[in-house]
Amino acid sequence: MPDDDSGEPSGGSDYGMATNLSGETARVSALVGLSGLVEAGTLLEATPECLVIAGADGQIVFANHRVEELTGFRRDELIGHPLSVLLTSGLGAVEDSRFEGTCRRSSGETFPVEVHLGSIDAPEHLAVVTLRDMTELQAGRDAKFEAEAKYRALVDELPAVVYLDPVDENLDSIYVSPQVTTLIGITPDEWLTDPYAWRHHVHPEDIDRVWDEYVLAYNEHSTLNHEYRMVHEDGSVKWVLEQASTITDEHGEPWLIQGVIFDISERKKAEEQIAFLAYHDKLTGLPNRALFEEMLELAIARGRRHELGVGVVFLDLDNFKLVNDSLGHAAGDELLIQLADRLRGCTRETDLVARQGGDEFLLLLSDMERGSSALPGVDSALMVAESVVIRVHEALQEPFHLNGTEFFATASLGVSLFPQDASDGGTLLKNADAAMYQSKKRRPGGHVVFSGAGEDPLQKLSLTTRLRRAVELQHWVLHYQPIVNLSDGSMKGVEALVRWREPNGGLVPPGEFIPLAEELGLIDAIGEWVIEEFSMQDRLWRQQGLDLQISFNLSPRQLRSAQLSEKIISKLRDAGVESRNVVVELTESAAMADPDHTQQILAELHAWGLTLAIDDFGTGYSSLARLKHMPVDILKIDRVFIRDVDTDSDLSGMVRAMIQLADSLGMTPLAEGIETQGEYEFVKANGCKLAQGFLFSRPVPAAEIPALAARPLIAG
Ligand code: C2E
Ligand code: CA
Ligand code: CA
């Protein structure tokens, strides 16, 4: 029995139960509703009331022992006979009512009774008739207490806790059956003297709901009938079913509240097992779509109440059919099982991973904070969703082992968020599905589309956040731009240029993130990845018979990293790359910022056989004296001088001078940014040895290099 410490409603009892519902009717329907748990008859017998139940046709289907006592009829003389055997007058009222009538005893004599007529609609229409001997009523409450004593004797035997409380909150609790000790481990006395005994044994997760239900029953004057968990003194959790209703006194005033609490733990356990089977996918053991939808509804309800965000991620494998077709269905099943495991591993504990069916999976991200995260302007729910998506992609980086073969799976994902994209579960699911479909269409494999606003919400994340994550997950790609021998148009080598691949599949050019990466101290990590990546590429190209020099860029900040040259050299050596095939590019301004230090590093790298290039030459303020003492092999003339060099006489003069300067210092000149035939012809005619530019080729993925290297990049 809840104690109203919330202060509402105050309606008469210390637990706020309905006080003016139609007592008998409600009680009987409550009791009849118990069938299946205990024999309904047991409880109907337990009541001190004189009770008759008739079917829709007016035939008596039940009469309790009190009827026998009152009328002298044996039950078998009543059951199957019309109600009129008992009631000689007053019948005919169809609706629930209370009236005075005449009752017949088996001896034939009649006596006045008060009749309560109630009805129960389910499972079939039943009339519930309670009879009260008017003479008995005159004896006052004493009779009631006598009846109560019998009632007590009976309920003590019930496999349930029965309690009886006065409606008047000032009176002590009247009775609780000794079974309370089995249920929650306290004595009846403790129950009767501690007004909080009940509340303290209701499971903390259930108390709010249970209390709401009490309040509802009170407000709607209905019988209480609910299930919740109680916690035994020993800590064990019991599921209970509680039913309660009011009993009115002879004036029709609410008098007592009686309730029954059944231990239904066993039934719950069975139900849970059945529910598990109905709500889970047999193959993977994951929740199925039905359970997902229910959890989604709950998550949205919580999200609404506590202003939290909810996300739905729809995942579809891109190449599942291939597995089934080539490796067989058993391998397909195995893939799904392994995938389910990985998905479980990359979500938060509170998230739900479900199998939608086939090769489609659903992730439910609930209870996410809304609004901006610690980083201003970054939606925190979006950030959580994005990091889950990135973890999913990461989880797919490793091959699956099926039938002794390795298989790489890719997936397309769609994300939809509550409240920004949809306000209900159905729409959220639909949006996530549509977004997944979009992403598959755009480019299957590691692609994500967020539903909503059209514009990619990833753009809303701050660059800083995205970049940090990219570093963690190495979301980098190298493109290679050919460097051309001007003498014959052949490919001398390539420059490795980094790009950042965002989770949405877009490539970010280095100009947009290298400066920030330097500022955040992330450049070293990127630089290391670049070396590992092109080293691996070098090996592959050599296996294909391609002999190319690979240039890579060092940023000014990297020069400050301790033991830079050792690190570079050991990485190259570990990868088996010959140092003479590697060119280190350093911008002129970087080289001149701390020339002593730079000179030392360049000397070390040079000693290991690496080729050195000064990048963007002409844009910094070189001290020629310094440059002369640096072991530089290549001078890359910046593209600001090359643009229109063939038509602009100032530029022609400068570029000619730079080519001569390089020659005089023993360096090979390289013209960057050749875009036109005129620019190409000018630099070639003026003795430049090497060139690079869109005219020959843009930077391209590694896979395109072999074809480009097969023939001259430029005619003549
Ligand atoms: P950079 O070293 O001067 O690289 C050449 C840049 O010029 C590349 O831009 C390339 O796409 C562009 N380019 C080449 N030919 C032409 C042309 O004919 N016309 C025009 N307009 N542009 C041309 P990208 O790839 O955007 O690289 C920009 C800069 O980012 C690079 O300039 C380099 O300083 C830096 N960077 C690139 N990769 C790395 C890296 O791995 N590490 C470091 N630290 N910096 C890098
Ligand atoms: Ca460069
Ligand atoms: Ca350059």
Side-chain angles (χ1 to χ4, degrees):
M1 295 168 290
D3 351 89
D4 185 0
D5 61 9
S6 70
E8 51 102 27
S10 58
S13 93
D14 61 344
Y15 49 98
M17 251 311 293
T19 50
N20 56 352
L21 46 85
S22 164
E24 280 69 25
T25 308
R27 178 150 46 110
V28 170
S29 58
L31 295 177
V32 169
L34 294 179
S35 60
L37 289 164
V38 290
E39 292 253 309
T42 319
L43 276 167
L44 297 177
E45 292 298 4
T47 168
E49 306 296 343
C50 186
L51 197 82
V52 180
I53 300 178
D57 54 1
Q59 303 272 314
I60 296 173
V61 296
F62 177 83
N64 67 1
H65 73 107
R66 295 277 295 133
V67 179
E68 292 185 325
E69 283 171 25
L70 191 67
T71 65
F73 280 112
R74 287 195 321 276
R75 269 182 270 193
D76 58 2
E77 293 172 314
L78 295 172
I79 290 169
H81 296 278
L83 255 181
S84 55
V85 170
L86 271 182
L87 285 173
T88 59
S89 70
L91 267 181
V94 198
E95 287 163 350
D96 296 2
S97 58
R98 170 203 294 259
F99 53 90
E100 287 183 10
T102 312
C103 184
R104 188 182 1 236
R105 290 193 212 278
S106 58
S107 60
E109 68 171 302
T110 58
F111 64 101
V113 282
E114 188 189 79
V115 181
H116 287 222
L117 185 62
S119 59
I120 305 174
D121 282 334
E124 59 214 35
H125 191 84
L126 294 174
V128 179
V129 181
T130 319
L131 304 173
R132 284 193 188 170
D133 189 344
M134 297 291 264
T135 45
E136 193 178 324
L137 276 177
Q138 272 130 41
R141 290 198 168 188
D142 287 350
K144 279 204 180 273
F145 282 109
E146 189 191 318
E148 195 209 310
K150 290 179 188 164
Y151 176 70
R152 199 177 278 196
L154 281 159
V155 297
D156 282 1
E157 302 304 316
L158 284 176
V161 175
V162 175
Y163 62 81
L164 200 61
D165 266 11
V167 165
D168 185 341
E169 59 189 336
N170 297 316
L171 299 177
D172 276 347
S173 188
I174 296 170
Y175 173 74
V176 68
S177 61
Q179 293 91 323
V180 72
T181 310
T182 321
L183 185 69
I184 53 174
I186 63 169
T187 63
D189 211 43
E190 285 170 318
W191 174 284
L192 296 181
T193 53
D194 176 6
Y196 295 101
W198 173 83
R199 175 175 283 265
H200 286 159
H201 290 86
V202 174
H203 196 286
E205 281 173 22
D206 291 350
I207 185 69
D208 287 348
R209 169 181 64 87
V210 169
W211 183 253
D212 286 349
E213 285 160 358
Y214 269 103
V215 171
L216 190 73
Y218 174 83
N219 289 335
E220 297 191 344
H221 311 308
S222 55
T223 301
L224 189 64
N225 186 339
H226 58 177
E227 295 178 0
Y228 54 92
R229 287 166 295 176
M230 295 195 84
V231 184
H232 190 278
E233 285 288 297
D234 68 11
S236 62
V237 174
K238 309 272 181 86
W239 267 101
V240 300
L241 166 71
E242 180 182 25
Q243 301 193 315
S245 54
T246 51
I247 300 172
T248 50
D249 64 13
E250 65 270 29
H251 308 296
E253 293 301 318
W255 176 41
L256 297 172
I257 295 188
Q258 72 157 18
V260 198
I261 301 174
F262 296 91
D263 183 345
I264 54 163
S265 304
E266 285 301 312
R267 189 193 90 196
K268 272 286 172 190
K269 216 161 81 194
E271 272 179 11
E272 274 161 17
Q273 267 158 7
I274 292 164
F276 185 87
L277 294 177
Y279 278 132
H280 287 78
D281 166 47
K282 269 225 289 278
L283 179 66
T284 60
L286 289 179
N288 61 13
R289 163 97 181 204
L291 180 53
F292 186 89
E293 282 177 4
E294 286 190 17
M295 299 313 260
L296 176 59
E297 289 309 325
L298 291 177
I300 287 179
R302 275 203 310 281
R304 248 193 217 112
R305 192 157 352 113
H306 305 295
E307 305 214 329
L308 295 166
V310 178
V312 170
V313 182
F314 206 109
L315 179 152
D316 184 294
L317 282 180
D318 296 319
N319 38 7
F320 184 63
K321 198 174 162 333
L322 191 69
V323 182
N324 268 342
D325 292 352
S326 59
L327 299 174
H329 284 273
D333 284 355
E334 183 54 33
L335 172 63
L336 295 175
I337 292 168
Q338 288 183 26
L339 175 64
D341 268 352
R342 291 193 193 180
L343 290 179
R344 266 189 286 246
C346 57
T347 45
R348 301 170 307 160
E349 202 134 289
T350 48
D351 298 334
L352 182 80
V353 181
R355 181 165 173 222
Q356 142 92 6
D359 60 346
E360 294 178 337
F361 291 82
L362 294 166
L363 312 184
L364 173 62
L365 318 176
S366 41
D367 303 327
M368 298 188 287
E369 266 181 50
R370 281 194 210 165
S372 54
S373 66
L375 296 155
V378 180
D379 183 277
S380 48
L382 189 61
M383 218 164 86
V384 171
E386 195 217 4
S387 62
V388 167
V389 161
I390 287 176
R391 278 201 296 271
V392 169
H393 280 316
E394 243 198 326
L396 295 176
Q397 297 294 305
E398 290 288 306
F400 290 87
H401 298 278
L402 310 168
N403 275 356
T405 25
E406 285 194 344
F407 182 83
F408 284 92
T410 60
S412 297
L413 286 86
V415 181
S416 184
L417 297 172
F418 165 87
Q420 48 267 65
D421 300 339
S423 57
D424 65 284
T427 315
L428 210 56
L429 264 165
K430 244 189 11 234
N431 286 353
D433 190 355
M436 182 281 293
Y437 185 72
Q438 270 300 111
S439 78
K440 187 157 294 235
K441 247 186 17 197
R442 265 200 229 165
R443 200 199 55 224
H447 205 80
V448 181
V449 167
F450 284 73
S451 92
E455 157 218 11
D456 191 339
L458 283 180
Q459 298 304 329
K460 291 182 213 145
L461 283 177
S462 81
L463 186 59
T464 311
T465 315
R466 290 185 291 149
L467 190 59
R468 283 190 197 286
R469 211 165 292 150
V471 168
E472 227 170 87
L473 303 173
Q474 305 198 322
H475 282 168
W476 315 119
V477 183
L478 281 186
H479 279 186
Y480 297 88
Q481 186 177 35
I483 293 172
V484 183
N485 275 317
L486 286 177
S487 57
D488 57 2
S490 65
M491 197 187 294
K492 159 96 174 150
V494 290
E495 178 177 0
L497 295 158
V498 72
R499 276 95 184 84
W500 167 13
R501 187 189 293 292
E502 287 227 82
N504 67 5
L507 285 184
V508 183
E512 285 181 27
F513 66 88
I514 294 280
L516 182 63
E518 292 196 304
E519 215 171 281
L520 297 172
L522 301 171
I523 191 68
D524 287 343
I526 301 176
E528 284 180 23
W529 179 87
V530 167
I531 295 175
E532 284 166 18
E533 176 69 15
F534 78 71
S535 298
M536 189 270 297
Q537 194 56 58
D538 176 74
R539 219 170 34 244
L540 286 180
W541 280 335
R542 279 178 203 287
Q543 282 167 8
Q544 297 169 32
L546 274 182
D547 179 18
L548 296 171
Q549 239 185 3
I550 302 184
S551 306
F552 75 101
N553 295 277
L554 273 188
S555 81
R557 178 71 181 245
Q558 282 172 280
L559 288 180
R560 288 200 239 150
S561 151
Q563 274 112 36
L564 176 70
S565 35
E566 284 93 327
K567 276 195 219 153
I568 294 175
I569 289 149
S570 74
K571 269 204 181 307
L572 293 176
R573 254 199 318 210
D574 289 351
V577 179
E578 284 193 50
S579 48
R580 63 183 169 83
N581 293 323
V582 177
V583 182
V584 181
E585 295 192 6
L586 190 66
T587 61
E588 182 189 15
S589 45
M592 293 304 155
D594 184 356
D596 288 337
H597 179 61
T598 308
Q599 193 164 347
Q600 190 197 325
I601 290 179
L602 293 185
E604 286 166 12
L605 292 172
H606 204 253
W608 280 100
L610 291 159
T611 302
L612 306 178
I614 291 291
D615 206 353
D616 301 351
F617 184 72
T619 57
Y621 299 90
S622 283
S623 145
L624 281 183
R626 279 286 183 184
L627 204 55
K628 220 163 140 178
H629 291 108
M630 289 190 182
V632 173
D633 306 291
I634 297 170
L635 207 59
K636 298 185 78 169
I637 301 166
D638 194 85
R639 66 170 181 270
V640 297
F641 301 99
I642 302 300
R643 188 175 179 148
D644 299 332
V645 69
D646 50 328
T647 52
D648 183 318
S649 57
D650 289 345
L651 288 177
S652 332
M654 279 193 265
V655 169
R656 241 183 251 124
M658 287 186 212
I659 293 171
Q660 280 162 18
L661 175 70
D663 280 340
S664 68
L665 292 171
M667 302 173 188
T668 307
L670 185 158
E672 286 191 313
I674 302 285
E675 292 186 5
T676 67
Q677 188 70 20
E679 291 161 4
Y680 156 67
E681 280 163 9
F682 177 88
V683 295
K684 187 177 174 186
N686 282 281
C688 196
K689 300 285 188 305
L690 300 172
Q692 204 177 338
F694 293 171
L695 179 69
F696 314 109
S697 168
R698 288 183 176 259
V700 295
E704 294 178 26
I705 291 294
L708 288 174
R711 63 193 79 84
L713 286 150
I714 187 122

